[in-house]
Every structure is written in C-alpha cells, then in structure tokens.
Amino acid sequence: MTTLLTQAAVAYDVTDGVAVITVQNPPVNALSVAVRRGLDAAISRFAADAEAHIAVIIGAGRTFIAGADIKEFGKPPQEPRLPDLIQRIEDTEKPVVAVLHGTALGGGLEVALGAHYRLALPGAKVGLPEVTLGLIPGAGGTQRLPRLIGVDATLTLITSGRPVPAQKALELGIVDQISQDSDPRTAGLVYAQHLLGQGAVARRSSEMDAPGVAAGTLDEWRGKLAQKARGQLSPLVCVDAVEAATTLDFASGMKRERELFLSLLDSPQRAALIHAFFAERKVSKLPELQGIAAREITEVGIIGGGTMGAGIAVSCLLNGLDVTLIERNEDAAAQATTTVTRLLGDSLRRGKLSKAQHDGILADDFRTATDYKALSQADLVIEAVFESMDVKRDVFQKLDAECKAGAILASNTSYLDINEIAAITNRPQDVIGLHFFSPAHVMKLLEVVVPDATAPDVVATGFALAKKLGKIAVRAGVCDGFIGNRILATYRAAADHMVLDGASPYDIDRALKAFGFAMGPFEVSDLAGLDIGWATRKRKAPTLDPRARVAKFADRLCELGRFGQKTGRGFYIYPEGSRRGTPDPEVLGFIDDERADLGITPQRMDDETIVRRYMAAMINEAAKVVAEGIALRPLDVDVTFLSGYGFPRHRGGPMHYADEVGLPALLADLERYAEEDAYFWQPAQLIRDLVANGQTFASLNE
Ligand code: 3H9
C-alpha cells in the first residue's frame, strides 16, 4: 500500500491495485477550491500510477460530497472549474468508481455521474437540489443524467430538487449497485475488485446516446412548472438545459448548461435562496446558548386537545416522544383522541409512518387524562387552551402544583404576555412560549418566546425540541404577536387600507400571488377563519389609538356569519366542498358602502403599487421588531416569514428583499405614504439610521 496526501482536502492511497481517493472536507465534503485541486491532483496521480488499475472516490466522515461549496458562489471563480474536473475524471482511461453514502448532492452527484460506476451504501440519498438554491446543475448533471435515466426521470429529480433514496436511485439507473457494507472504503474496495475481476472498463455517460423525448413533453413540463414555480426562474431553466441534451451533442449541451447556470448564478433569486439556506442554519446559533446543554425531554404533556393541542401532540408522537394529553372531561378527551387518531391516520396514508409504528404510537405512546396528576413525570408541558389570561392562570397554577421540579412549562399562546404567565408560577425560570403554527404537525416554524426570567437551558431545550420535531425555531421576545403575528397585524392593516382606497381584495390577492406568495392575505383570512381576526380586532379595540384607520368590511362579513372557508363564504364564495373560492360581488358592495360612508373616491391600484405598499408596511414593522430586540437579527424575521407565513423563498424573506430593493428607496416610499397617514406610516428609526449610514439589514446579521 502506498500513501500520498496530495492536498489536505483529498487523500490518495493504493490498496491491492485500487486507488482510494478520499475527499475529506468536513462537515459535508463540499467541493471547495481545495477539494477540486486535490481531486485534480489525485486523478493525475491515478492516471500515471502503474500500481493502480481502478480508482474509488469516497467521502470521509458522514457523507459523500454534498455539492459545490455554496460559500464560493458570488466570489471570483477559481480553477479548476468543476465541469472541467469532472470531464477529466470521466476521460480517465482506467475505470473510476464513486461510492455514495450519506448525501450525494448537486456537484457531488455530478462527480459520481462523471465516474464510470456508482455504488451506493444502503442509507445513501442522491439528488440534484440546485433548483432550491436558484440554480440548475452546472457540472454536467443536466447532460449526463438524461442520457442515463431519460428526460422525465431527470426532470422529476432536478425540478423538484428532492433527493431519492439508494433503492430508488438503483431502480432509476442512477447507481449500479447497493452494497450491504456500512463503510464506504470497505464497500468500494470489494466492488472495485469485483469490477477488476470482470475486466470492467471505463464507461462514460457522456458517450451514451442522446435521450429521446416525445413531442410536447417539454412544453407540458414548462406549463406545469410555470404554475408551481410562482415566479421562480430556475425550475423552468432546468427544462431548457435538459432540452439541450436532447437536441445538441454532449459538448454543445455542456456549453449551453454553462451559459444557463451562469445566468442564474448572477440572479437576485440565487442570492435570495442562498441567503435563506444560510439564515435557516444561523437562526439557531444564539450567543446566549453557547455551551448550554438542553434538558432531556422524553415525556410531554399537552393541555387542551383542540386543533392546536392535537396537532402539537401528533408532531411530538411522530418524532418519538411520549404524550399525555389533558382535557376538561371524558367527552373532550375522547374528542381529542379522535382528532389525534385521524391525523396519525393521515400520516399512515401518506407513508410517513408504517402500520406497525402507527399502531405502536396509539397503543403505547399516547394517552389522555382529565387529572393534572397524570403529568407528574412530564419533562415538558405545552399548554394550548383558550386564549384568555384567566384560563391560562388556572392551568399554570395546576401545573406548578403537579409537575416535577425541572419540568418545563410552555405556553402556545399567540399573543398573551408570557412574563405574566411565568409570574403565575413559583418557577418562572422554567416557563417559556412555544408558539406552534397551524397545522402544528405540518408547519415548520416554531417561535421560541423567551420571557425575562427564563433559564438559558430552557431556551436551549426549545431549540432542541424544534430540531427533534423537524421544525425551525426562531427566538422571539415578548410582545403582542411576537415576531410573526405582530408584523402580520401591520401589513394586514395596510391591505385593508388599500381596499378602502380602491383595490379589491381580489386585486390584492392576485398581486401578491404574482409576487410569489402561496396565498393572498384575504385567501389566508378565509382559510384561517374570519372570526379569528374579528376576535383580535375586538380585543385590541379598547387600546386602539384614535388616529388608527380601521376598516369595517371584515366585521360586516363576520356579523353575517361569513367566517370564510368553514362557512362556505368569506371574502370568497366556496362551492360545496371546495377550497378554491370565487370572488363575491356582494363583498365588493359592502366595501363600496364603506367607502361611500367615509367619502373615499376609489383609486385604481396596479400590482406594483399594491406590492410596494404591502411590503413597505411589513418591512417597516419588522425593522421596529428588530430594533426592540423582539427578533435578534433581520435574518430571524426572514426565517419566520419563510417558514411560517408563505413568504416566497426566492425573495429571501422581507429583510433580504428590502436590501435588494434598497433601503433608500424603501424610506422614500415610507415618507411618501406618511404624507397620507402619518400615524400608520411612521418610518422605523432603524431604517432611517441604516440609510443615513449607508448600511443594509444584512450588516446586522453578523
Ligand atoms: C451545486 O452543487 C452546483 C453544481 O451543480 C455546479 C457547480 C459548478 N457548501 O445542513 P447542515 C454547511 S450547488 C458549503 O446543518 P445536515 C452548512 O452551512 C450545491 N457549506 O447539516 C452547515 O454549516 P454550519 C448543491 C455547506 O446534516 C454545515 O455544512 N448542494 C454546504 O442537516 C452542516 O449542514 C446542496 O444544495 C455546501 N454545499 O444536512 C446541498 N452544505 O455548521 C446543501 C452544507 O457552519 N446542503 N454546508 O452551519 C444540504 O442540503 C445539507 O447541508 C445536507 C446536510 C443534507 C448536506
């Protein structure tokens, strides 16, 4: 055996005629310039090495290569370029094998496609997720993969960005074999000897026939993606690149892929999506949690089995926690069991659970009770009862009396003062807000709301819980609505003001969906139930500043029992059983009446005007939320909106979008709007300061 460390990031050694090229760039072996240089040198070494008859490329640590180094995007490119390196691997005369374990993603899978044989370990996942970063595969993925597995399978993979497990990759023909070995090196050596024994030769996917495609297939893909992508460019560009594989020779197809890749690399969408990627990872890195260990959580208590409580219970159950749910009486407990059983049944049908797991959860992990004594061993209790301080007081007094020392007492309130809730107990250091979003077993966001006296390890436990539940936690301070709902209240009011001034709810929904939101604000209200906003308006009415402009048309709908989808009518009319509404002329009539009462002559508003005002209201309130420390950094606001409020990911979140538009332009808009309504449109001091200093929101993320 000879050993040569060609570069720190890539090792080379030879065992029994097999060159083992090991990429060692923790944590995910991204293809940094050091790795590319190391691989380049290792391939040259292998080509010239008379002792080595075949090479295996493996990844050190937990994964094969997870892709290009995302941190290098937007910086000056450095040689060797990845497509050239992969071409060199493919051009090698002696066979090269890639051994895939962990995640072989993006440029990592493209390296494997340039190798001549691909072996996967059982738990491996492979995919081309570039589209989720606003890109297309840019190192041959769009040209080699269709030659290997055909156009449809390629487009399914690269336009979704979703990785597939090893078994699926084998069925598709992406990998040649699955090894039962759990160690990539051992598996690679065995497979390489097997190939040598068979006299295997270099086998190049670039030399395979160009893939055929039935007439109309690519247009069908374009039509489907244009609908789904809601303004995101890269999924459609994937189709252009794959089309090139069907019409051009390999070298020309590679050129075309490069042009398309570079056009996206320069796009604001790429910058926004990569901001989102890093923000989602940075959001849990809090200075206050450095070196703080989370408390152990295995048994969870939930108070209240309504929609939220049952959803939280299911989220916990699906992720291996034991749940005891408390209800007021046996009937309510039975009702909660029915809801939990129904939601678990949905997970079974969707393949998220096996039948055995499903039955095991119901038999062993879930139970209801009516007595708080059942929570004596709970490590964490999450209260999800009616939003009233009196009701919460009763719950927290009982919890304080029954729960063991060190148990965390959490409230799922969406706006109540958690400092006040903490003060109800004799253990304010153990009290925290865990604000789930509905449906709680589906929505990614968890606001971890931190009152003044909360111990750091309780905050750490909130973040650890989110990770266990597959959610993204954002730290929020205590105020009415925390980060998300506080900002929502402001931009929702801006939408209502625009309706009073001339836009219809349907104009507003259309404009914001064209911007990229999954739903418009009036569709969201109909889905959530108009009674929720009605209750909030009534709650806030006594403290409302007399200068605030308040629209009444939504109250009028509620007074008529039009609560949205659940009653078949809200802002839209929902035909029996449908979730898709149609505009309602009667609603427009109510709005006209209100304008007439207020003496407003309606103005037409185009989509751009609507989006500008809506976004300005959102960003302005968000800046106040950051300045007050309710959100730690602008990126925390971005992550909140990306994971909990349907904000278009390819816009990066409201604060990233604000930087993209430019804070001076935003401030100019705010000042102009303030001439109409100085109370509502008071520009945030933080925005004024950033503009004065020539800074961006991003500068506060460091
Ligand atoms: C591409 O390949 C383009 C090519 O087609 C063409 C080029 C010409 N680069 O997520 P985690 C960091 S585009 C740099 O917490 P997990 C990450 O920031 C790329 N850094 O772990 C984090 O850092 P920190 C296509 C990366 O186990 C740490 O690694 N590939 C990269 O939950 C751990 O990450 C992708 O899009 C990267 N590529 O998940 C894959 N990836 O500790 C993107 C990760 O400082 N990556 N980091 O916060 C992933 O999907 C997940 O990270 C992965 C691991 C599934 C791999």
Side-chain angles (χ1 to χ4, degrees):
M1 170 171 142
T2 57
T3 303
L4 171 70
L5 210 62
T6 50
Q7 292 272 343
V10 177
Y12 178 96
D13 68 75
V14 179
T15 300
D16 297 334
V18 182
V20 180
I21 298 172
T22 309
V23 179
Q24 38 192 28
N25 182 25
V28 297
N29 292 323
L31 289 156
S32 63
V33 62
V35 171
R36 298 198 303 278
R37 285 182 186 156
L39 276 172
D40 199 45
I43 284 296
S44 297
R45 172 81 193 173
F46 167 58
D49 191 342
E51 272 184 51
H53 310 297
I54 188 166
V56 294
I57 304 178
I58 62 173
R62 61 173 153 127
T63 187
F64 187 69
I65 301 166
D69 187 341
I70 303 171
K71 292 190 204 85
E72 287 181 4
F73 292 151
K75 296 187 184 153
Q78 296 199 68
E79 300 284 323
R81 297 179 330 139
L82 189 57
D84 300 338
L85 169 65
I86 292 173
Q87 194 58 55
R88 286 206 60 212
I89 295 173
E90 196 185 47
D91 288 344
T92 306
E93 291 297 326
K94 294 181 279 187
V96 179
V97 182
V99 183
L100 314 181
H101 80 293
T103 42
L105 299 178
L109 181 57
E110 289 173 302
V111 167
L113 294 173
H116 308 124
Y117 297 89
R118 285 159 292 279
L119 176 72
L121 267 50
K125 286 189 175 168
V126 309
L128 292 169
E130 286 85 345
V131 76
T132 64
L133 303 173
L135 292 166
I136 58 167
T142 68
Q143 305 302 303
R144 287 194 177 89
L145 195 58
R147 285 176 161 79
L148 263 182
I149 69 169
V151 165
D152 262 319
T154 298
L155 283 174
T156 303
L157 212 71
I158 70 174
T159 61
S160 71
R162 266 193 297 279
V164 292
Q167 185 56 38
K168 179 78 182 170
L170 181 70
E171 286 159 23
L172 287 171
I174 302 173
V175 301
D176 301 297
Q177 240 189 59
I178 301 181
S179 165
Q180 285 320 310
D181 221 303
S182 59
D183 173 49
R185 184 184 175 93
T186 316
L189 287 173
V190 170
Y191 187 51
Q193 293 298 350
H194 164 77
L195 288 173
L196 280 179
Q198 292 205 322
V201 293
R203 193 191 57 169
R204 301 181 179 89
S205 34
S206 68
E207 290 173 359
M208 293 170 70
D209 291 341
V213 61
T217 301
L218 294 171
D219 284 342
E220 259 174 49
W221 271 98
R222 287 188 173 102
K224 210 163 57 179
L225 291 168
Q227 286 258 314
K228 263 192 8 202
R230 291 199 303 265
Q232 193 187 328
L233 299 171
S234 53
L236 284 150
V237 179
C238 290
V239 185
D240 297 344
V242 171
E243 181 171 37
T246 69
T247 54
L248 303 176
D249 61 63
F250 182 76
S252 311
M254 285 297 289
K255 241 178 100 194
R256 180 77 182 126
E257 180 193 82
R258 186 78 189 155
E259 285 161 11
L260 294 169
F261 178 80
L262 289 178
S263 71
L264 290 171
L265 196 62
D266 283 341
S267 72
Q269 294 197 357
R270 190 276 301 160
L273 285 158
I274 287 184
H275 163 74
F277 178 88
F278 285 118
E280 281 173 354
R281 281 154 183 82
K282 202 163 176 183
V283 76
S284 60
K285 298 197 170 89
L286 306 180
E288 73 194 87
L289 300 186
Q290 288 292 316
I292 303 284
R295 295 185 191 174
E296 187 80 31
I297 302 291
T298 46
E299 293 192 24
V300 176
I302 291 173
I303 314 294
T307 309
M308 274 321 284
I312 297 169
V314 169
S315 180
C316 293
L317 291 166
L318 289 174
N319 291 287
L321 295 168
D322 183 283
V323 172
T324 302
L325 190 149
I326 304 284
E327 261 295 2
R328 279 158 302 158
N329 53 44
E330 294 298 343
D331 281 353
Q335 183 65 44
T337 303
T338 305
T339 313
V340 167
T341 307
R342 176 170 54 76
L343 296 177
L344 286 172
D346 290 347
S347 296
L348 175 64
R349 270 186 296 285
R350 291 210 185 96
K352 296 209 164 124
L353 280 180
S354 68
K355 178 85 174 86
Q357 286 169 322
H358 169 270
D359 296 351
I361 287 174
L362 281 173
D364 305 327
D365 303 344
F366 177 67
R367 69 205 64 81
T368 58
T370 53
D371 188 338
Y372 280 59
K373 287 200 187 323
L375 299 180
S376 63
Q377 289 313 305
D379 305 302
L380 162 72
V381 181
I382 305 170
E383 160 281 306
V385 300
F386 185 65
E387 288 278 62
S388 137
M389 193 53 95
D390 288 341
V391 179
K392 309 264 183 200
R393 180 169 299 108
D394 181 49
V395 167
F396 276 82
Q397 276 166 352
K398 286 185 182 145
L399 289 177
D400 199 19
E402 300 298 344
C403 290
K404 66 182 181 188
I408 295 175
L409 309 183
S411 173
N412 178 55
T413 180
S414 26
Y415 59 84
L416 289 175
D417 182 347
I418 306 181
N419 276 312
E420 199 178 328
I421 293 178
I424 294 166
T425 72
N426 292 308
R427 45 173 116 183
Q429 73 281 0
D430 296 334
V431 176
I432 195 161
L434 293 176
H435 183 211
F436 289 77
F437 289 71
S438 187
H441 60 301
V442 175
M443 292 292 286
K444 279 260 169 211
L445 180 62
L446 179 69
E447 277 182 312
V448 175
V449 189
V450 184
D452 298 339
T454 305
D457 65 340
V458 173
V459 182
T461 311
F463 277 80
L465 177 76
K467 194 160 187 197
K468 182 151 183 74
L469 302 184
K471 298 193 185 298
I472 298 182
V474 176
R475 186 200 197 281
V478 178
C479 70
D480 193 325
F482 316 130
I483 299 177
N485 283 348
R486 170 164 157 190
I487 298 170
L488 165 76
T490 301
Y491 65 79
R492 204 48 198 74
D496 285 354
H497 298 169
M498 284 192 273
V499 169
L500 289 180
D501 291 335
S504 77
Y506 317 118
D507 293 336
I508 292 178
D509 282 351
R510 191 197 56 244
L512 289 159
K513 284 194 286 184
F515 178 78
F517 278 96
M519 296 172 82
F522 295 96
E523 287 173 329
V524 171
S525 296
D526 271 3
L527 177 65
L530 297 188
D531 45 330
I532 294 180
W534 197 26
T536 307
R537 287 190 294 279
K538 285 189 208 159
R539 172 172 65 84
K540 288 188 174 174
T543 54
L544 205 64
D545 191 289
R547 291 168 295 176
R549 197 177 171 204
V550 184
K552 297 263 190 321
F553 51 84
D555 294 354
R556 183 146 178 207
L557 297 183
C558 291
E559 283 153 13
L560 296 169
R562 299 178 54 142
F563 292 154
Q565 277 194 24
K566 61 187 168 191
T567 57
R569 272 174 183 246
F571 285 102
Y572 293 82
I573 301 173
Y574 299 87
E576 186 72 33
S578 172
R579 298 166 129 242
R580 188 175 279 264
T582 52
D584 184 353
E586 203 183 4
V587 171
L588 297 177
F590 296 150
I591 294 166
D592 275 337
D593 293 347
E594 191 172 343
R595 288 176 186 145
D597 287 348
L598 294 167
I600 295 171
T601 311
Q603 313 285 319
R604 266 195 58 78
M605 278 186 221
D606 61 16
D607 284 8
E608 196 201 328
T609 306
I610 291 170
V611 168
R612 270 172 98 139
R613 282 187 178 249
Y614 192 80
M615 290 308 303
M618 186 184 299
I619 296 160
N620 197 36
E621 188 65 21
K624 295 174 188 175
V625 160
V626 171
E628 290 169 28
I630 299 298
L632 279 190
R633 301 149 294 195
L635 71 86
D636 298 69
V637 174
D638 284 343
V639 173
T640 301
F641 277 83
L642 292 171
S643 47
Y645 290 80
F647 194 95
R649 198 173 167 86
H650 63 273
R651 307 260 188 199
M655 308 311 254
H656 178 88
Y657 176 75
D659 281 348
E660 180 68 37
V661 169
L663 296 189
L666 174 79
L667 181 58
D669 277 354
L670 289 168
E671 284 173 337
R672 199 157 43 82
Y673 304 152
E675 286 167 16
E676 300 161 18
D677 180 350
Y679 173 73
F680 184 80
W681 288 107
Q682 184 63 44
Q685 189 57 42
L686 178 62
I687 297 179
R688 289 193 190 285
D689 293 346
L690 289 172
V691 169
N693 297 326
Q695 285 178 298
T696 58
F697 281 128
S699 68
L700 305 179
N701 284 334
E702 298 316 316

